[in-house]
Amino acid sequence: MKKEINPDTSSLKLTTARKAILEILHHSKHPLSYEDIKNSLLMDKATFYRNIAKFEEEGLIDSFESSDKKRYFELRKSPHAHFICKVCQKIECMNLPCTFEMEAYTIENVIIKGKCPHCR
Amino acid sequence: MKKEINPDTSSLKLTTARKAILEILHHSKHPLSYEDIKNSLLMDKATFYRNIAKFEEEGLIDSFESSDKKRYFELRKSPHAHFICKVCQKIECMNLPCTFEMEAYTIENVIIKGKCPHCR
DNA sequence: GACTTAATTGCGACTGAGTTGCACAAAATT
DNA sequence: AATTTTGTGCAACTCAGTCGCAATTAAGTC
Ligand SMILES: [Mn+2]
Ligand SMILES: [Mn+2]
Ligand SMILES: [Zn+2]
Ligand SMILES: [Zn+2]
């Protein structure tokens, strides 16, 4: 029997490396960078980034760049904005709907930067 | 007579390099990266980035990172969000107020990513 | 104007997150 | 089992941005 991550749409094999990445993202309350998790990973960083790219193509995860020049990854869930503190760099998932009146645009990602309650 | 960029708060000398950067930013309708303007600049890129850092300390300009891993700069004006198209990478200043209910947070920057009217 | 000095600059070397080429390994297909 | 496709480790690479340092320049004082 073929083991796949998303049998309906995907042709990705469910490898040890992929399971490890998805497992870690699954257990995190906020987006993570490669730096954040490299010590928990046995795979090479090229493998990590290549799998991240595949996951993103499949719509399994989302990512964005922070002000620290790193990319942050999380499993795709219901759309929500992210807050990045410019002082402590902490990233938080914000569960406010924040609708914009931008008819002609497709919004995929909202990032709010500023100072968190601790840092201001 | 002392020539300063912002006589009240700044100790920055008004050099040719600084005038050139501010002049270019002043005439742009949207944020620019170093890449965007390097051909119009005579200064070294180290000089450019060092001056950008000073301007930012002084609150003269704002910046943010796009998905293309470049930083974009613009003169500080009335607060507004930016839209970045994930397909064509075009950056637009959005003049919608978009208020969030985030009492304890200080919002300095809002970036919306998605697909622009042309690309979706 | 000429003199002084701290701020600014150009240059080249460096950094570090992310990417790529390639040969080898593991699945899947026949 | 042989072939084809997909995934992996390793090392080399890319490229926006940074840094150390010696040379230059803006601005204050005479
Ligand atoms: Mn989130
Ligand atoms: Mn703007
Ligand atoms: Zn903070
Ligand atoms: Zn577009």
Side-chain angles (χ1 to χ4, degrees):
Chain A
M1 177 205 168
K2 202 167 69 164
K3 293 209 172 173
E4 282 174 351
I5 284 173
N6 184 353
D8 292 339
T9 60
S10 167
S11 61
L12 295 187
K13 294 177 194 171
L14 188 53
T15 63
T16 314
R18 288 178 182 156
K19 268 186 262 190
I21 298 172
L22 293 174
E23 192 66 14
I24 289 175
L25 293 183
H26 184 71
H27 286 100
S28 177
K29 292 264 181 275
H30 53 90
L32 299 170
S33 69
Y34 172 67
E35 183 75 15
D36 289 335
I37 58 181
K38 64 175 177 187
N39 294 330
S40 323
L41 294 175
L42 297 173
M43 76 199 72
D44 189 75
K45 69 174 170 174
T47 302
F48 174 83
Y49 282 115
R50 280 188 283 231
N51 282 327
I52 285 288
K54 295 275 189 184
F55 291 158
E56 229 168 344
E57 282 168 27
E58 299 284 330
L60 259 172
I61 68 169
D62 289 307
S63 78
F64 57 89
E65 344 277 310
S66 176
S67 343
D68 61 6
K69 281 160 208 138
K70 293 181 199 156
R71 261 174 82 208
Y72 285 79
F73 314 100
E74 72 178 350
L75 291 187
R76 174 169 294 178
K77 27 197 167 182
S78 52
H80 58 279
H82 290 104
F83 181 85
I84 303 176
C85 176
K86 284 185 176 177
V87 180
C88 67
Q89 300 294 334
K90 201 164 89 85
I91 296 176
E92 254 182 276
C93 303
M94 308 303 282
N95 282 319
L96 33 88
C98 68
T99 45
F100 297 91
E101 302 99 48
M102 295 169 54
E103 282 302 313
Y105 296 77
T106 308
I107 298 176
E108 295 177 8
N109 225 314
V110 176
I111 299 164
I112 306 163
K113 292 184 185 170
K115 287 178 185 147
C116 80
H118 269 121
C119 295
R120 59 158 209 167
Chain B
M1 176 205 168
K2 198 166 73 163
K3 293 207 173 172
E4 284 174 350
I5 285 171
N6 183 352
D8 291 339
T9 60
S10 168
S11 61
L12 296 187
K13 292 180 189 172
L14 187 55
T15 63
T16 315
R18 288 179 181 153
K19 269 186 263 189
I21 298 172
L22 294 174
E23 190 68 15
I24 288 175
L25 293 182
H26 185 70
H27 285 99
S28 177
K29 291 264 180 273
H30 54 91
L32 299 170
S33 68
Y34 172 66
E35 183 75 17
D36 289 334
I37 58 181
K38 65 176 178 185
N39 293 330
S40 324
L41 295 174
L42 297 174
M43 76 200 70
D44 188 74
K45 71 174 169 173
T47 301
F48 174 82
Y49 283 115
R50 279 188 285 232
N51 282 328
I52 285 289
K54 295 274 189 185
F55 290 159
E56 226 166 346
E57 282 168 30
E58 299 284 330
L60 259 172
I61 68 169
D62 289 307
S63 78
F64 58 89
E65 344 277 312
S66 177
S67 344
D68 61 4
K69 281 160 208 138
K70 293 181 200 157
R71 262 174 81 209
Y72 284 79
F73 314 99
E74 72 177 350
L75 291 187
R76 175 168 294 180
K77 27 196 167 183
S78 51
H80 59 280
H82 290 105
F83 180 85
I84 303 177
C85 176
K86 284 186 176 178
V87 180
C88 67
Q89 301 292 336
K90 202 164 91 84
I91 296 176
E92 254 180 275
C93 302
M94 308 302 283
N95 283 318
L96 33 91
C98 67
T99 45
F100 298 90
E101 302 98 47
M102 296 169 54
E103 282 301 313
Y105 296 78
T106 309
I107 298 175
E108 295 177 8
N109 225 313
V110 176
I111 298 165
I112 306 163
K113 291 182 187 171
K115 288 180 185 148
C116 79
H118 268 121
C119 294
R120 58 160 209 165

PDB file of all heavy atoms in Angstrom, chain A residues 63-95:
ATOM      1  N   SER A  63       4.241  30.190   5.127  1.00  0.00           N
ATOM      2  CA  SER A  63       5.490  30.760   5.622  1.00  0.00           C
ATOM      3  C   SER A  63       5.527  32.257   5.367  1.00  0.00           C
ATOM      4  O   SER A  63       4.775  32.781   4.554  1.00  0.00           O
ATOM      5  CB  SER A  63       6.686  30.107   4.935  1.00  0.00           C
ATOM      6  OG  SER A  63       6.846  30.647   3.643  1.00  0.00           O
ATOM      7  N   PHE A  64       6.387  32.937   6.086  1.00  0.00           N
ATOM      8  CA  PHE A  64       6.610  34.370   5.877  1.00  0.00           C
ATOM      9  C   PHE A  64       7.974  34.739   6.420  1.00  0.00           C
ATOM     10  O   PHE A  64       8.572  33.990   7.195  1.00  0.00           O
ATOM     11  CB  PHE A  64       5.513  35.199   6.568  1.00  0.00           C
ATOM     12  CG  PHE A  64       5.415  34.936   8.035  1.00  0.00           C
ATOM     13  CD1 PHE A  64       6.175  35.664   8.928  1.00  0.00           C
ATOM     14  CD2 PHE A  64       4.582  33.939   8.531  1.00  0.00           C
ATOM     15  CE1 PHE A  64       6.101  35.416  10.300  1.00  0.00           C
ATOM     16  CE2 PHE A  64       4.499  33.687   9.899  1.00  0.00           C
ATOM     17  CZ  PHE A  64       5.264  34.429  10.775  1.00  0.00           C
ATOM     18  N   GLU A  65       8.480  35.896   6.014  1.00  0.00           N
ATOM     19  CA  GLU A  65       9.784  36.365   6.479  1.00  0.00           C
ATOM     20  C   GLU A  65       9.581  37.329   7.641  1.00  0.00           C
ATOM     21  O   GLU A  65       8.709  38.182   7.591  1.00  0.00           O
ATOM     22  CB  GLU A  65      10.554  37.126   5.396  1.00  0.00           C
ATOM     23  CG  GLU A  65      10.047  36.946   4.000  1.00  0.00           C
ATOM     24  CD  GLU A  65      10.594  35.682   3.391  1.00  0.00           C
ATOM     25  OE1 GLU A  65      11.807  35.488   3.451  1.00  0.00           O
ATOM     26  OE2 GLU A  65       9.798  34.894   2.848  1.00  0.00           O
ATOM     27  N   SER A  66      10.409  37.196   8.644  1.00  0.00           N
ATOM     28  CA  SER A  66      10.377  38.127   9.756  1.00  0.00           C
ATOM     29  C   SER A  66      11.437  39.212   9.554  1.00  0.00           C
ATOM     30  O   SER A  66      12.145  39.214   8.557  1.00  0.00           O
ATOM     31  CB  SER A  66      10.627  37.362  11.045  1.00  0.00           C
ATOM     32  OG  SER A  66      10.691  38.259  12.131  1.00  0.00           O
ATOM     33  N   SER A  67      11.525  40.140  10.508  1.00  0.00           N
ATOM     34  CA  SER A  67      12.518  41.213  10.379  1.00  0.00           C
ATOM     35  C   SER A  67      13.915  40.694  10.666  1.00  0.00           C
ATOM     36  O   SER A  67      14.902  41.368  10.396  1.00  0.00           O
ATOM     37  CB  SER A  67      12.198  42.354  11.350  1.00  0.00           C
ATOM     38  OG  SER A  67      10.877  42.273  11.810  1.00  0.00           O
ATOM     39  N   ASP A  68      14.013  39.475  11.220  1.00  0.00           N
ATOM     40  CA  ASP A  68      15.329  38.894  11.483  1.00  0.00           C
ATOM     41  C   ASP A  68      15.886  38.156  10.262  1.00  0.00           C
ATOM     42  O   ASP A  68      16.875  37.431  10.364  1.00  0.00           O
ATOM     43  CB  ASP A  68      15.272  37.951  12.690  1.00  0.00           C
ATOM     44  CG  ASP A  68      14.321  36.785  12.471  1.00  0.00           C
ATOM     45  OD1 ASP A  68      13.792  36.651  11.349  1.00  0.00           O
ATOM     46  OD2 ASP A  68      14.110  36.008  13.405  1.00  0.00           O
ATOM     47  N   LYS A  69      15.233  38.355   9.123  1.00  0.00           N
ATOM     48  CA  LYS A  69      15.672  37.786   7.840  1.00  0.00           C
ATOM     49  C   LYS A  69      15.552  36.267   7.776  1.00  0.00           C
ATOM     50  O   LYS A  69      16.146  35.629   6.910  1.00  0.00           O
ATOM     51  CB  LYS A  69      17.104  38.204   7.501  1.00  0.00           C
ATOM     52  CG  LYS A  69      17.184  39.621   6.948  1.00  0.00           C
ATOM     53  CD  LYS A  69      18.583  40.180   7.079  1.00  0.00           C
ATOM     54  CE  LYS A  69      18.557  41.682   7.201  1.00  0.00           C
ATOM     55  NZ  LYS A  69      19.484  42.205   8.204  1.00  0.00           N
ATOM     56  N   LYS A  70      14.806  35.692   8.691  1.00  0.00           N
ATOM     57  CA  LYS A  70      14.565  34.252   8.616  1.00  0.00           C
ATOM     58  C   LYS A  70      13.138  33.987   8.168  1.00  0.00           C
ATOM     59  O   LYS A  70      12.253  34.810   8.391  1.00  0.00           O
ATOM     60  CB  LYS A  70      14.779  33.611   9.990  1.00  0.00           C
ATOM     61  CG  LYS A  70      16.213  33.646  10.450  1.00  0.00           C
ATOM     62  CD  LYS A  70      16.312  32.969  11.805  1.00  0.00           C
ATOM     63  CE  LYS A  70      17.564  33.351  12.551  1.00  0.00           C
ATOM     64  NZ  LYS A  70      17.414  33.189  14.011  1.00  0.00           N
ATOM     65  N   ARG A  71      12.945  32.814   7.546  1.00  0.00           N
ATOM     66  CA  ARG A  71      11.592  32.416   7.178  1.00  0.00           C
ATOM     67  C   ARG A  71      10.989  31.589   8.299  1.00  0.00           C
ATOM     68  O   ARG A  71      11.685  30.779   8.919  1.00  0.00           O
ATOM     69  CB  ARG A  71      11.596  31.593   5.893  1.00  0.00           C
ATOM     70  CG  ARG A  71      11.247  32.416   4.660  1.00  0.00           C
ATOM     71  CD  ARG A  71      11.415  31.583   3.420  1.00  0.00           C
ATOM     72  NE  ARG A  71      10.285  30.733   3.124  1.00  0.00           N
ATOM     73  CZ  ARG A  71      10.389  29.583   2.460  1.00  0.00           C
ATOM     74  NH1 ARG A  71      11.564  29.130   2.083  1.00  0.00           N
ATOM     75  NH2 ARG A  71       9.300  28.881   2.191  1.00  0.00           N
ATOM     76  N   TYR A  72       9.719  31.800   8.554  1.00  0.00           N
ATOM     77  CA  TYR A  72       8.991  31.065   9.592  1.00  0.00           C
ATOM     78  C   TYR A  72       7.892  30.232   8.964  1.00  0.00           C
ATOM     79  O   TYR A  72       7.207  30.681   8.054  1.00  0.00           O
ATOM     80  CB  TYR A  72       8.435  32.039  10.637  1.00  0.00           C
ATOM     81  CG  TYR A  72       9.517  32.548  11.553  1.00  0.00           C
ATOM     82  CD1 TYR A  72      10.376  33.563  11.148  1.00  0.00           C
ATOM     83  CD2 TYR A  72       9.742  31.971  12.792  1.00  0.00           C
ATOM     84  CE1 TYR A  72      11.400  33.999  11.965  1.00  0.00           C
ATOM     85  CE2 TYR A  72      10.766  32.410  13.619  1.00  0.00           C
ATOM     86  CZ  TYR A  72      11.588  33.421  13.201  1.00  0.00           C
ATOM     87  OH  TYR A  72      12.610  33.844  14.019  1.00  0.00           O
ATOM     88  N   PHE A  73       7.728  29.004   9.490  1.00  0.00           N
ATOM     89  CA  PHE A  73       6.820  28.028   8.908  1.00  0.00           C
ATOM     90  C   PHE A  73       5.803  27.565   9.928  1.00  0.00           C
ATOM     91  O   PHE A  73       6.118  27.426  11.108  1.00  0.00           O
ATOM     92  CB  PHE A  73       7.621  26.812   8.422  1.00  0.00           C
ATOM     93  CG  PHE A  73       8.841  27.185   7.641  1.00  0.00           C
ATOM     94  CD1 PHE A  73      10.100  27.185   8.234  1.00  0.00           C
ATOM     95  CD2 PHE A  73       8.728  27.579   6.315  1.00  0.00           C
ATOM     96  CE1 PHE A  73      11.226  27.553   7.509  1.00  0.00           C
ATOM     97  CE2 PHE A  73       9.848  27.946   5.588  1.00  0.00           C
ATOM     98  CZ  PHE A  73      11.101  27.930   6.184  1.00  0.00           C
ATOM     99  N   GLU A  74       4.591  27.288   9.447  1.00  0.00           N
ATOM    100  CA  GLU A  74       3.582  26.671  10.316  1.00  0.00           C
ATOM    101  C   GLU A  74       2.620  25.875   9.454  1.00  0.00           C
ATOM    102  O   GLU A  74       2.456  26.154   8.263  1.00  0.00           O
ATOM    103  CB  GLU A  74       2.832  27.716  11.137  1.00  0.00           C
ATOM    104  CG  GLU A  74       1.871  28.543  10.333  1.00  0.00           C
ATOM    105  CD  GLU A  74       1.087  29.544  11.178  1.00  0.00           C
ATOM    106  OE1 GLU A  74       1.132  29.483  12.417  1.00  0.00           O
ATOM    107  OE2 GLU A  74       0.435  30.408  10.563  1.00  0.00           O
ATOM    108  N   LEU A  75       1.992  24.877  10.059  1.00  0.00           N
ATOM    109  CA  LEU A  75       0.959  24.133   9.361  1.00  0.00           C
ATOM    110  C   LEU A  75      -0.163  25.085   8.969  1.00  0.00           C
ATOM    111  O   LEU A  75      -0.506  25.984   9.737  1.00  0.00           O
ATOM    112  CB  LEU A  75       0.401  23.020  10.265  1.00  0.00           C
ATOM    113  CG  LEU A  75       1.339  21.859  10.577  1.00  0.00           C
ATOM    114  CD1 LEU A  75       0.568  20.763  11.328  1.00  0.00           C
ATOM    115  CD2 LEU A  75       1.975  21.280   9.322  1.00  0.00           C
ATOM    116  N   ARG A  76      -0.719  24.873   7.787  1.00  0.00           N
ATOM    117  CA  ARG A  76      -1.831  25.734   7.379  1.00  0.00           C
ATOM    118  C   ARG A  76      -3.061  25.430   8.225  1.00  0.00           C
ATOM    119  O   ARG A  76      -3.457  24.285   8.370  1.00  0.00           O
ATOM    120  CB  ARG A  76      -2.139  25.528   5.893  1.00  0.00           C
ATOM    121  CG  ARG A  76      -3.381  26.300   5.458  1.00  0.00           C
ATOM    122  CD  ARG A  76      -3.533  26.328   3.966  1.00  0.00           C
ATOM    123  NE  ARG A  76      -2.450  27.083   3.330  1.00  0.00           N
ATOM    124  CZ  ARG A  76      -2.340  27.229   2.014  1.00  0.00           C
ATOM    125  NH1 ARG A  76      -3.205  26.678   1.213  1.00  0.00           N
ATOM    126  NH2 ARG A  76      -1.327  27.920   1.514  1.00  0.00           N
ATOM    127  N   LYS A  77      -3.611  26.498   8.807  1.00  0.00           N
ATOM    128  CA  LYS A  77      -4.867  26.350   9.528  1.00  0.00           C
ATOM    129  C   LYS A  77      -5.794  27.469   9.104  1.00  0.00           C
ATOM    130  O   LYS A  77      -5.562  28.090   8.074  1.00  0.00           O
ATOM    131  CB  LYS A  77      -4.625  26.336  11.047  1.00  0.00           C
ATOM    132  CG  LYS A  77      -3.387  27.092  11.495  1.00  0.00           C
ATOM    133  CD  LYS A  77      -2.937  26.726  12.906  1.00  0.00           C
ATOM    134  CE  LYS A  77      -1.526  27.271  13.130  1.00  0.00           C
ATOM    135  NZ  LYS A  77      -0.934  26.955  14.414  1.00  0.00           N
ATOM    136  N   SER A  78      -6.835  27.719   9.876  1.00  0.00           N
ATOM    137  CA  SER A  78      -7.753  28.793   9.496  1.00  0.00           C
ATOM    138  C   SER A  78      -6.980  30.108   9.428  1.00  0.00           C
ATOM    139  O   SER A  78      -6.134  30.382  10.278  1.00  0.00           O
ATOM    140  CB  SER A  78      -8.894  28.884  10.505  1.00  0.00           C
ATOM    141  OG  SER A  78      -8.361  28.962  11.824  1.00  0.00           O
ATOM    142  N   PRO A  79      -7.272  30.914   8.407  1.00  0.00           N
ATOM    143  CA  PRO A  79      -6.479  32.133   8.165  1.00  0.00           C
ATOM    144  C   PRO A  79      -6.442  33.043   9.390  1.00  0.00           C
ATOM    145  O   PRO A  79      -7.454  33.253  10.039  1.00  0.00           O
ATOM    146  CB  PRO A  79      -7.244  32.818   7.023  1.00  0.00           C
ATOM    147  CG  PRO A  79      -8.035  31.733   6.368  1.00  0.00           C
ATOM    148  CD  PRO A  79      -8.380  30.766   7.458  1.00  0.00           C
ATOM    149  N   HIS A  80      -5.252  33.545   9.688  1.00  0.00           N
ATOM    150  CA  HIS A  80      -5.103  34.474  10.807  1.00  0.00           C
ATOM    151  C   HIS A  80      -3.849  35.302  10.588  1.00  0.00           C
ATOM    152  O   HIS A  80      -2.960  34.906   9.858  1.00  0.00           O
ATOM    153  CB  HIS A  80      -5.016  33.715  12.129  1.00  0.00           C
ATOM    154  CG  HIS A  80      -3.890  32.730  12.168  1.00  0.00           C
ATOM    155  ND1 HIS A  80      -3.979  31.476  11.599  1.00  0.00           N
ATOM    156  CD2 HIS A  80      -2.648  32.817  12.675  1.00  0.00           C
ATOM    157  CE1 HIS A  80      -2.841  30.831  11.780  1.00  0.00           C
ATOM    158  NE2 HIS A  80      -2.004  31.626  12.431  1.00  0.00           N
ATOM    159  N   ALA A  81      -3.796  36.453  11.244  1.00  0.00           N
ATOM    160  CA  ALA A  81      -2.640  37.340  11.103  1.00  0.00           C
ATOM    161  C   ALA A  81      -1.545  36.944  12.079  1.00  0.00           C
ATOM    162  O   ALA A  81      -1.772  36.169  13.013  1.00  0.00           O
ATOM    163  CB  ALA A  81      -3.073  38.780  11.352  1.00  0.00           C
ATOM    164  N   HIS A  82      -0.331  37.446  11.831  1.00  0.00           N
ATOM    165  CA  HIS A  82       0.772  37.223  12.755  1.00  0.00           C
ATOM    166  C   HIS A  82       1.342  38.546  13.236  1.00  0.00           C
ATOM    167  O   HIS A  82       1.502  39.480  12.458  1.00  0.00           O
ATOM    168  CB  HIS A  82       1.865  36.396  12.089  1.00  0.00           C
ATOM    169  CG  HIS A  82       1.450  34.984  11.865  1.00  0.00           C
ATOM    170  ND1 HIS A  82       1.093  34.508  10.632  1.00  0.00           N
ATOM    171  CD2 HIS A  82       1.296  33.956  12.729  1.00  0.00           C
ATOM    172  CE1 HIS A  82       0.743  33.237  10.736  1.00  0.00           C
ATOM    173  NE2 HIS A  82       0.850  32.872  11.992  1.00  0.00           N
ATOM    174  N   PHE A  83       1.649  38.559  14.533  1.00  0.00           N
ATOM    175  CA  PHE A  83       2.290  39.731  15.107  1.00  0.00           C
ATOM    176  C   PHE A  83       3.761  39.438  15.362  1.00  0.00           C
ATOM    177  O   PHE A  83       4.097  38.401  15.940  1.00  0.00           O
ATOM    178  CB  PHE A  83       1.608  40.131  16.425  1.00  0.00           C
ATOM    179  CG  PHE A  83       2.221  41.350  17.036  1.00  0.00           C
ATOM    180  CD1 PHE A  83       1.802  42.613  16.641  1.00  0.00           C
ATOM    181  CD2 PHE A  83       3.234  41.237  17.981  1.00  0.00           C
ATOM    182  CE1 PHE A  83       2.388  43.747  17.191  1.00  0.00           C
ATOM    183  CE2 PHE A  83       3.819  42.378  18.526  1.00  0.00           C
ATOM    184  CZ  PHE A  83       3.387  43.625  18.131  1.00  0.00           C
ATOM    185  N   ILE A  84       4.630  40.332  14.904  1.00  0.00           N
ATOM    186  CA  ILE A  84       6.064  40.198  15.152  1.00  0.00           C
ATOM    187  C   ILE A  84       6.539  41.384  15.974  1.00  0.00           C
ATOM    188  O   ILE A  84       6.379  42.530  15.564  1.00  0.00           O
ATOM    189  CB  ILE A  84       6.860  40.163  13.836  1.00  0.00           C
ATOM    190  CG1 ILE A  84       6.360  39.029  12.931  1.00  0.00           C
ATOM    191  CG2 ILE A  84       8.347  40.020  14.104  1.00  0.00           C
ATOM    192  CD1 ILE A  84       7.031  38.996  11.571  1.00  0.00           C
ATOM    193  N   CYS A  85       7.113  41.097  17.137  1.00  0.00           N
ATOM    194  CA  CYS A  85       7.641  42.180  17.970  1.00  0.00           C
ATOM    195  C   CYS A  85       9.012  42.590  17.445  1.00  0.00           C
ATOM    196  O   CYS A  85       9.912  41.768  17.294  1.00  0.00           O
ATOM    197  CB  CYS A  85       7.756  41.748  19.424  1.00  0.00           C
ATOM    198  SG  CYS A  85       8.519  43.017  20.449  1.00  0.00           S
ATOM    199  N   LYS A  86       9.177  43.886  17.172  1.00  0.00           N
ATOM    200  CA  LYS A  86      10.439  44.380  16.613  1.00  0.00           C
ATOM    201  C   LYS A  86      11.555  44.377  17.643  1.00  0.00           C
ATOM    202  O   LYS A  86      12.718  44.497  17.301  1.00  0.00           O
ATOM    203  CB  LYS A  86      10.255  45.794  16.053  1.00  0.00           C
ATOM    204  CG  LYS A  86       9.532  45.843  14.723  1.00  0.00           C
ATOM    205  CD  LYS A  86       9.497  47.263  14.167  1.00  0.00           C
ATOM    206  CE  LYS A  86       8.849  47.260  12.784  1.00  0.00           C
ATOM    207  NZ  LYS A  86       8.733  48.635  12.217  1.00  0.00           N
ATOM    208  N   VAL A  87      11.194  44.282  18.922  1.00  0.00           N
ATOM    209  CA  VAL A  87      12.209  44.301  19.970  1.00  0.00           C
ATOM    210  C   VAL A  87      12.680  42.887  20.296  1.00  0.00           C
ATOM    211  O   VAL A  87      13.849  42.553  20.128  1.00  0.00           O
ATOM    212  CB  VAL A  87      11.679  45.001  21.244  1.00  0.00           C
ATOM    213  CG1 VAL A  87      12.742  45.010  22.333  1.00  0.00           C
ATOM    214  CG2 VAL A  87      11.222  46.411  20.913  1.00  0.00           C
ATOM    215  N   CYS A  88      11.750  42.017  20.742  1.00  0.00           N
ATOM    216  CA  CYS A  88      12.162  40.681  21.179  1.00  0.00           C
ATOM    217  C   CYS A  88      12.012  39.635  20.073  1.00  0.00           C
ATOM    218  O   CYS A  88      12.363  38.476  20.262  1.00  0.00           O
ATOM    219  CB  CYS A  88      11.385  40.252  22.411  1.00  0.00           C
ATOM    220  SG  CYS A  88       9.623  39.972  22.144  1.00  0.00           S
ATOM    221  N   GLN A  89      11.491  40.042  18.912  1.00  0.00           N
ATOM    222  CA  GLN A  89      11.345  39.171  17.740  1.00  0.00           C
ATOM    223  C   GLN A  89      10.330  38.045  17.931  1.00  0.00           C
ATOM    224  O   GLN A  89      10.206  37.171  17.070  1.00  0.00           O
ATOM    225  CB  GLN A  89      12.701  38.546  17.336  1.00  0.00           C
ATOM    226  CG  GLN A  89      13.775  39.556  16.971  1.00  0.00           C
ATOM    227  CD  GLN A  89      13.449  40.336  15.702  1.00  0.00           C
ATOM    228  OE1 GLN A  89      12.730  39.870  14.834  1.00  0.00           O
ATOM    229  NE2 GLN A  89      13.974  41.551  15.590  1.00  0.00           N
ATOM    230  N   LYS A  90       9.630  38.058  19.063  1.00  0.00           N
ATOM    231  CA  LYS A  90       8.640  37.003  19.283  1.00  0.00           C
ATOM    232  C   LYS A  90       7.520  37.096  18.240  1.00  0.00           C
ATOM    233  O   LYS A  90       7.109  38.180  17.832  1.00  0.00           O
ATOM    234  CB  LYS A  90       8.049  37.128  20.691  1.00  0.00           C
ATOM    235  CG  LYS A  90       7.424  35.849  21.208  1.00  0.00           C
ATOM    236  CD  LYS A  90       7.199  35.898  22.727  1.00  0.00           C
ATOM    237  CE  LYS A  90       5.840  36.479  23.103  1.00  0.00           C
ATOM    238  NZ  LYS A  90       4.717  35.516  23.098  1.00  0.00           N
ATOM    239  N   ILE A  91       7.056  35.927  17.808  1.00  0.00           N
ATOM    240  CA  ILE A  91       5.995  35.867  16.808  1.00  0.00           C
ATOM    241  C   ILE A  91       4.758  35.234  17.420  1.00  0.00           C
ATOM    242  O   ILE A  91       4.846  34.190  18.046  1.00  0.00           O
ATOM    243  CB  ILE A  91       6.445  35.041  15.585  1.00  0.00           C
ATOM    244  CG1 ILE A  91       7.620  35.740  14.908  1.00  0.00           C
ATOM    245  CG2 ILE A  91       5.294  34.855  14.619  1.00  0.00           C
ATOM    246  CD1 ILE A  91       8.195  34.978  13.751  1.00  0.00           C
ATOM    247  N   GLU A  92       3.642  35.892  17.241  1.00  0.00           N
ATOM    248  CA  GLU A  92       2.384  35.410  17.819  1.00  0.00           C
ATOM    249  C   GLU A  92       1.327  35.252  16.743  1.00  0.00           C
ATOM    250  O   GLU A  92       1.223  36.082  15.836  1.00  0.00           O
ATOM    251  CB  GLU A  92       1.869  36.464  18.807  1.00  0.00           C
ATOM    252  CG  GLU A  92       2.022  36.110  20.268  1.00  0.00           C
ATOM    253  CD  GLU A  92       1.441  37.212  21.120  1.00  0.00           C
ATOM    254  OE1 GLU A  92       2.171  38.209  21.374  1.00  0.00           O
ATOM    255  OE2 GLU A  92       0.276  37.115  21.519  1.00  0.00           O
ATOM    256  N   CYS A  93       0.525  34.212  16.850  1.00  0.00           N
ATOM    257  CA  CYS A  93      -0.638  34.060  15.986  1.00  0.00           C
ATOM    258  C   CYS A  93      -1.781  34.889  16.568  1.00  0.00           C
ATOM    259  O   CYS A  93      -2.116  34.735  17.734  1.00  0.00           O
ATOM    260  CB  CYS A  93      -1.052  32.594  15.886  1.00  0.00           C
ATOM    261  SG  CYS A  93       0.252  31.504  15.291  1.00  0.00           S
ATOM    262  N   MET A  94      -2.359  35.757  15.768  1.00  0.00           N
ATOM    263  CA  MET A  94      -3.435  36.627  16.242  1.00  0.00           C
ATOM    264  C   MET A  94      -4.762  36.106  15.726  1.00  0.00           C
ATOM    265  O   MET A  94      -4.958  35.992  14.518  1.00  0.00           O
ATOM    266  CB  MET A  94      -3.241  38.054  15.728  1.00  0.00           C
ATOM    267  CG  MET A  94      -1.871  38.644  15.993  1.00  0.00           C
ATOM    268  SD  MET A  94      -1.422  38.669  17.737  1.00  0.00           S
ATOM    269  CE  MET A  94      -2.364  40.073  18.342  1.00  0.00           C
ATOM    270  N   ASN A  95      -5.669  35.829  16.641  1.00  0.00           N
ATOM    271  CA  ASN A  95      -6.934  35.295  16.170  1.00  0.00           C
ATOM    272  C   ASN A  95      -8.022  36.351  16.082  1.00  0.00           C
ATOM    273  O   ASN A  95      -9.131  36.164  16.536  1.00  0.00           O
ATOM    274  CB  ASN A  95      -7.357  34.100  17.024  1.00  0.00           C
ATOM    275  CG  ASN A  95      -6.559  32.871  16.609  1.00  0.00           C
ATOM    276  OD1 ASN A  95      -6.344  32.644  15.417  1.00  0.00           O
ATOM    277  ND2 ASN A  95      -6.081  32.107  17.576  1.00  0.00           N
TER     278      ASN A  95
END
